[in-house]
Amino acid sequence: MLREALTGSRIRERRIMAGQKQADLANVIGISASYLNLIEHNRRRIGGKLLLNIAAALGVEPTALTEGAEAALIGTLREAAVDAGLSGPEVGRADEFAGRFPGWADVLANTQRRIATLERTIETLTDRLAHDPHLAASMHELLTTAAAIRSTASILADTKTLEPEWRDRFHINIDQDSRRLADSAQALVGYLEADPETTPAASSPQEEVEAFLAAHRFQFAVLEQAGHDETAIEALAQAAPELKSVAARHIARTVLQQVAVDADALPIARLAELMETLGRDPMALAQQLHQPVGRVLRRMAAMPDLGAGLLVCDRSGTVIFRKSIEGFVVPRFGAGCPLWPLFAVLGNPGVVVKERLAQLGRSHAEFDCIAACEVQSAHSYNAQPLVQSVMLILPAQGLAAGPRLDVGATCRVCPRDHCPARREPSILNDGV
C-alpha cells in the first residue's frame, strides 16, 4: 500500500490519540461525519485546504498525515523484520504498520535499537575478555601465584617431619606469594572497573601507534615534501606524546618509513589529479601510473576526502596496520573474519581481489574492498619471501558488479549461519 493511501488511517489514529470523536472533528472542519468516516477508511483521497484544516484541528503538521512515520523509523522497522526472518511482503508493510500503530512502531523501533546497542557491547566485551593481552597476563599471574601457594601449603600439611628451618622458609614463601596474589587481584579489579574517561586510550604499542596516526589524520606533510628523510621520521616518532613505549616508537618508525617511500614514488597531488579522470579504480590508476596496486591502495587511504579505511597484514595473517572506517568493525585484539579479501590474497602476489562486502551484526553497511598482496624486498639469496597484504575499504557506491559477500568482524560475534570458515561458535546464534 502506498504511503499516501494511508492518510486516512493516520487521521483516524491521530484523532483517537487526541481523544476526539469522529462527529466532533467533522463539525470542526465543516464536513459530515459520514464523509470523514470514508476518509478515515482510505476510501476518499484528501488534499488541499481540507487536509490543512484537519491537520490544524489535530495539532499536527500536514506531512505527518501524508508521509507518515519518519524514514529512520521505517528503516529501523525493516531491519527488525529482516532480523526476525520475515518474508519480503511483510517487510514492505513496515510503513503501513507505522502509519496505523505509531505507538507500537516506536516501541518496536526502540527495542531494535537497544538490541543493536547490546550487540555492540557484547562485541566489545567478548573481544576484550578473549584477547586483551593485559587481562590474559593478569589472569596468568593470579593462577600461577595461587598454584604456588597451594603447592607450598600442601608440602607443609603433608610433611610431618619437616625441619623448623625449612618450615620457616615455606611460611615466608606463603606470605610473599599471598601478598603478590592480593596485589595482583586488586590491580585486576581496578583495571576492569576503571572509568573509561580516565583510562589511557592506548594499552598496547599498536594502540599507541593508532592514536598517533589518528592525531595526524594519517597525513604527514613533512614526509610528502621531504620524502624518505630519516631525520624527519625520527623527529616525528620522538616528539609524539601518543608514543609512550619503545615498541610503539619502533612500529611508528616502520609505518612512517613506508609513508615516506610511497610519498616519494607517488605524490598525492599526482594521484588526486588522475582520479578526477579515472575515478576511484585502483587497478586503472596503478596501470596508468605504473605503480604497484598496493602502493596505490595505501595512497588512496591517505586522501581525507575519500573517507577510506585501510588494513595491512603480514605473512602470519596478523593485522599490523589499520585505518578505521565507520561501520566496518575490526577486532581490537582477536583475529578478523577469514572471508575478508585481505586474507584471500595473502600468499598470492600479483592477484588483486575486489569484493562488495556487507558486514553482519550491526548496520549491515556495504563496502567495496580491494586487496592485493606484495612481496617485500629480499635480504639474502634463497630466503623465503616476506609478503604483506593490503586492503582498501571504501563506502559502497552504486550497484555491485557481482554478488555481495556477507562477512563478520570475528567468529565469536558473527551471526552468519553455517559459515565454512568458522573457527569457533558464535555467541549470537546457534549456527556452526
Side-chain angles (χ1 to χ4, degrees):
M1 184 178 293
L2 296 176
R3 299 178 69 176
E4 291 80 2
L6 295 171
T7 301
S9 298
R10 298 188 187 102
I11 292 174
R12 181 174 182 273
E13 294 298 330
R14 294 288 183 175
R15 176 179 60 78
I16 294 175
M17 291 172 62
Q20 286 185 284
K21 294 182 179 180
Q22 194 175 68
D24 294 338
L25 178 59
N27 184 57
V28 171
I29 60 179
I31 63 174
S32 66
S34 59
Y35 188 69
L36 179 58
N37 184 64
L38 292 174
I39 291 174
E40 290 187 348
H41 286 83
N42 301 304
R43 295 178 183 175
R44 292 291 185 275
R45 289 189 174 275
I46 180 175
K49 188 173 184 300
L50 181 56
L51 176 63
L52 296 177
N53 291 340
I54 294 176
L58 295 174
V60 299
E61 292 292 329
T63 54
L65 302 177
T66 57
E67 297 181 7
E70 296 181 354
L73 175 60
I74 300 299
T76 304
L77 292 177
R78 286 174 178 163
E79 287 181 11
V82 171
D83 291 344
L86 294 181
S87 61
E90 290 293 332
V91 175
R93 299 182 68 184
D95 194 4
E96 181 181 352
F97 176 75
R100 291 182 179 275
F101 310 103
W104 280 108
D106 286 337
V107 171
L108 182 58
N110 289 334
T111 301
Q112 177 69 13
R113 296 187 190 100
R114 178 168 174 76
I115 290 173
T117 301
L118 292 175
E119 284 185 356
R120 287 193 293 269
T121 303
I122 289 173
E123 288 180 12
T124 302
L125 292 178
T126 301
D127 190 35
R128 181 182 183 187
L129 291 174
H131 305 289
D132 187 337
H134 182 85
L135 183 60
S138 298
M139 291 302 299
H140 178 74
E141 173 72 12
L142 287 175
L143 295 175
T144 301
T145 307
I149 294 173
R150 178 69 183 87
S151 177
T152 304
S154 178
I155 294 174
L156 287 172
D158 296 341
T159 307
K160 305 300 183 182
T161 59
L162 195 63
E163 296 181 1
E165 180 182 355
W166 281 100
R167 184 182 299 109
D168 292 341
R169 290 184 181 180
F170 283 130
H171 283 153
I172 292 174
N173 289 342
I174 289 179
D175 177 67
Q176 293 175 344
D177 288 341
S178 62
R179 290 177 182 273
R180 187 170 55 149
L181 180 63
D183 292 340
S184 299
Q186 185 176 1
L188 179 59
V189 171
Y191 175 69
L192 293 175
E193 294 183 348
D195 184 351
E197 296 185 357
T198 60
T199 302
S203 60
S204 69
Q206 187 65 47
E207 288 178 294
E208 292 178 28
V209 174
E210 290 174 19
F212 162 66
L213 296 173
H216 287 268
R217 301 183 63 187
F218 294 84
Q219 294 180 333
F220 299 91
V222 63
L223 300 182
E224 296 288 342
Q225 299 169 0
H228 199 171
D229 186 341
E230 288 293 340
T231 302
I233 291 173
E234 187 63 26
L236 284 169
Q238 291 295 337
E242 299 85 4
L243 303 176
K244 299 179 175 62
S245 64
V246 175
R249 287 190 289 273
H250 173 80
I251 297 172
R253 289 189 195 97
T254 303
V255 173
L256 293 173
Q257 287 168 355
Q258 183 68 69
V259 171
V261 171
D262 289 342
D264 190 49
L266 179 55
I268 205 76
R270 171 62 178 141
L271 179 61
E273 178 184 354
L274 192 59
M275 285 182 65
E276 293 181 359
T277 304
L278 299 180
R280 57 178 202 172
D281 185 345
M283 181 71 79
L285 292 167
Q287 292 174 351
Q288 185 71 23
L289 293 164
H290 304 289
Q291 293 285 345
V293 175
R295 174 169 292 149
V296 173
L297 298 180
R298 289 191 295 269
R299 298 302 280 162
M300 289 179 67
M303 302 177 69
D305 295 339
L306 202 57
L310 187 74
L311 294 178
V312 180
C313 74
D314 61 15
R315 195 170 69 177
S316 71
T318 302
V319 175
I320 59 175
F321 178 90
R322 77 184 76 200
K323 178 177 182 286
S324 300
I325 179 173
E326 185 177 357
F328 194 93
V329 180
V330 180
R332 177 63 58 181
F333 303 109
C337 175
L339 298 179
W340 293 348
L342 176 73
F343 305 120
V345 299
L346 194 58
N348 293 288
V351 175
V352 181
V353 173
K354 182 178 181 180
E355 291 267 15
R356 173 67 61 88
L357 302 187
Q359 195 172 60
L360 304 176
R362 287 193 191 174
S363 60
H364 303 280
E366 295 188 359
F367 303 90
D368 289 324
C369 296
I370 303 96
C373 182
E374 295 181 318
V375 177
Q376 306 300 295
S377 299
H379 297 288
S380 63
Y381 293 106
N382 303 323
Q384 289 294 324
L386 296 176
V387 297
Q388 282 187 356
S389 180
V390 185
M391 184 172 78
L392 183 72
I393 309 170
L394 295 168
Q397 287 187 351
L399 298 176
R404 185 189 72 179
L405 178 62
D406 291 336
V407 301
T410 186
C411 288
R412 191 62 173 161
V413 290
C414 176
R416 174 170 172 166
D417 291 326
H418 309 295
C419 177
R422 182 171 293 284
R423 295 183 297 266
E424 58 180 328
S426 173
I427 62 175
L428 299 181
N429 60 24
D430 296 326
V432 294

